[in-house]
């Protein structure tokens, strides 16, 4: 109950400081204030959810012959390490710490050095809520700091959000101590739009699947497969609405797309667009550096959201995770064909389907090789629902009741009620 009380109090503090935290996240990351508020809300809801689960942790009683019995205990792992990404700094810190603390662990959290600020705010909030010193700790640093944490003999578990190459290294380092890992890695997810879809809804879904957080979202459905009969109308609508996205000062209520996280990352995304053009893709809109009219913002890392047409499965923009506001549109003819193409990737974080045919929706989702699937929506992540991927997109899950298993260990106790039946 004490853990639950502290977590609920922390959630109350987050709610009371919502605007302050959101504004700090905008400065930290560059996303719009509208999105930052939603991230703060997700963090609060996560704490509330796992506070509720903290009081329900229980084992199992197993009756055995002759009155003997066994029971199981769900126990903490100990010191858990969380390593965050720069796209959702505050939210990720909450998503990792809430289940860890609910299970009775402590956590050492290392935010990305690109976005170091708001995880410290969460540490302050836990302290104000009554958490003992050392329960939630923030350590700043880069690759060397992460390596030391993964290899430390007192660390019992590592949870990481980030790229596939870094995830592989973390898994290798943790394996030296046979430590469990949760890895939430990259994606190149398919969004399939069938011809019977509600077109306006499908276009809205494609925008949500590509342009949240300036496109810097691991689960984004950046391969948008559209059935050929509706392709012209879909492209017309998606380009029209993409051009209407308001870019600029992320602290303004009217802004829907802020700045990318850094100059090197902006340059990388723009290079992908140039490469797509060289390989035969058509830039239907966007894909260029953007200069806001406000003089204070003219050094910012802005670009116009991009829609690429005439894409093929062999193009780099279709095969590699760009991690920016770039949507690749592809056409397809049949369900069988699009499933084969959608699954033709080493990644499997997410996938989406738009159709009015409920039978088809469930049939297609069953065959998609992805851990988080959406029907007639995209990028919805309620904290009650597990989130994570298949294949090289990761191991384990964040959120949902199953996460308790990733932050605890099961002890079995056998109780003999009679005499020992010895063979010797």
């Amino acid at each position: 109950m004490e853990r639950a009380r502290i977590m609920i109090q922390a959630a109350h503090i987050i709610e009371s400081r919502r605007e302050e935290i959101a504004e700090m996240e905008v400065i930290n990351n560059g996303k719009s204030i509208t999105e930052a508020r939603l991230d703060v809300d997700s963090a609060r809801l996560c704490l509330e959810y796992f506070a509720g689960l903290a009081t329900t942790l229980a084992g199992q009683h197993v009756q055995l012959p002759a009155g003997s019995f066994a029971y199981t205990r769900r126990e903490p792992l100990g010191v858990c390490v969380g390593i965050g990404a720069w796209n959702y700094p505050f939210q990720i810190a909450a998503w990792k710490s809430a289940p860890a603390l609910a299970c009775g662990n402590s956590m050492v959290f290392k935010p990305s050095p690109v976005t170091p600020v708001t995880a410290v705010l969460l540490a302050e909030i836990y302290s104000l809520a009554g958490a003992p010193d050392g329960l939630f700790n923030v350590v700043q640093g880069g690759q060397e700091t992460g390596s030391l944490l993964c290899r430390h003999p007192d660390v019992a578990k590592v949870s990481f959000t980030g790229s596939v190459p870094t995830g592989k290294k973390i898994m290798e380092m943790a394996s030296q101590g046979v430590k469990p890992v949760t890895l939430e890695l990259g994606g190149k997810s398919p969004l399939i739009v069938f011809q019977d879809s509600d077109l306006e809804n499908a276009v809205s879904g494609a925008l949500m699947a590509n342009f949240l957080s300036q496109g810097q979202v691991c689960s984004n459905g950046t391969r948008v497969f559209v059935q050929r009969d509706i392709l012209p109308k879909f492209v017309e609508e998606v380009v029209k609405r993409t051009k209407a996205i308001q870019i600029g000062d992320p602290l303004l209520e009217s802004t829907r797309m802020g700045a990318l996280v850094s100059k090197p990352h902006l340059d990388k995304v723009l290079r992908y667009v140039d490469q797509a053009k060289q390989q035969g893709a058509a830039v239907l809109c966007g894909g260029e550096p953007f200069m806001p009219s406000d003089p204070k913002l003219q050094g910012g890392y802005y670009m116009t959201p991009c829609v690429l047409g005439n894409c093929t499965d062999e193009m780099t923009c279709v095969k590699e995770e760009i991690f920016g506001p770039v949507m690749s549109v592809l056409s397809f003819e049949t369900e069988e064909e699009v499933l084969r193409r959608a699954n033709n990737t080493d990644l499997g974080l997410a996938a989406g389907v738009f159709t009015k045919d409920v039978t088809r929706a469930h049939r297609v989702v069953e065959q998609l090789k992805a851990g988080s699937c959406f029907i007639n929506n995209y990028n919805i992540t309620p904290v009650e629902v597990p989130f994570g991927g298949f294949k090289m997109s990761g191991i384990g899950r964040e959120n949902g009741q199953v996460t308790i298993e990733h932050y605890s260990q099961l002890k079995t106790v056998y109780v003999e009620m009679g005499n020992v039946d010895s063979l010797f």
Side-chain angles (χ1 to χ4, degrees), residues 170 246 249 366 405:
I170 284 174
Q246 186 73 35
D249 186 346
E366 182 182 0
E405 298 177 17

Side-chain angles (χ1 to χ4, degrees), residues 1-8 46-59 74 98-104 401 404:
M1 290 297 290
E2 183 182 1
R3 295 198 295 269
R5 281 195 296 269
I6 290 171
M7 293 174 71
I8 288 293
C46 186
L47 265 65
E48 291 174 347
Y49 176 74
F50 282 105
L53 288 184
T55 62
T56 68
L57 303 186
R74 191 158 289 284
L101 301 190
C103 291
Q401 191 168 354
I404 295 299

Side-chain angles (χ1 to χ4, degrees), residues 209-268:
N210 281 271
F211 299 138
L212 287 174
S213 293
Q214 300 79 254
Q216 300 165 143
V217 183
C218 51
S219 58
N220 270 358
T222 52
R223 294 185 293 145
V224 181
F225 293 92
V226 184
Q227 204 153 21
R228 189 174 299 278
D229 287 351
I230 62 167
L231 181 63
K233 185 64 175 173
F234 177 90
V235 167
E236 178 186 348
E237 289 297 314
V238 86
V239 168
K240 181 175 72 174
R241 290 182 58 182
T242 299
K243 287 180 176 179
I245 294 173
Q246 186 73 35
I247 313 166
D249 186 346
L251 287 169
L252 295 179
E253 297 290 341
S254 58
T255 298
R256 286 298 174 267
M257 184 170 288
L260 275 71
V261 75
S262 67
K263 181 66 162 61
H265 188 65
L266 171 63
D267 292 342
K268 176 184 173 183

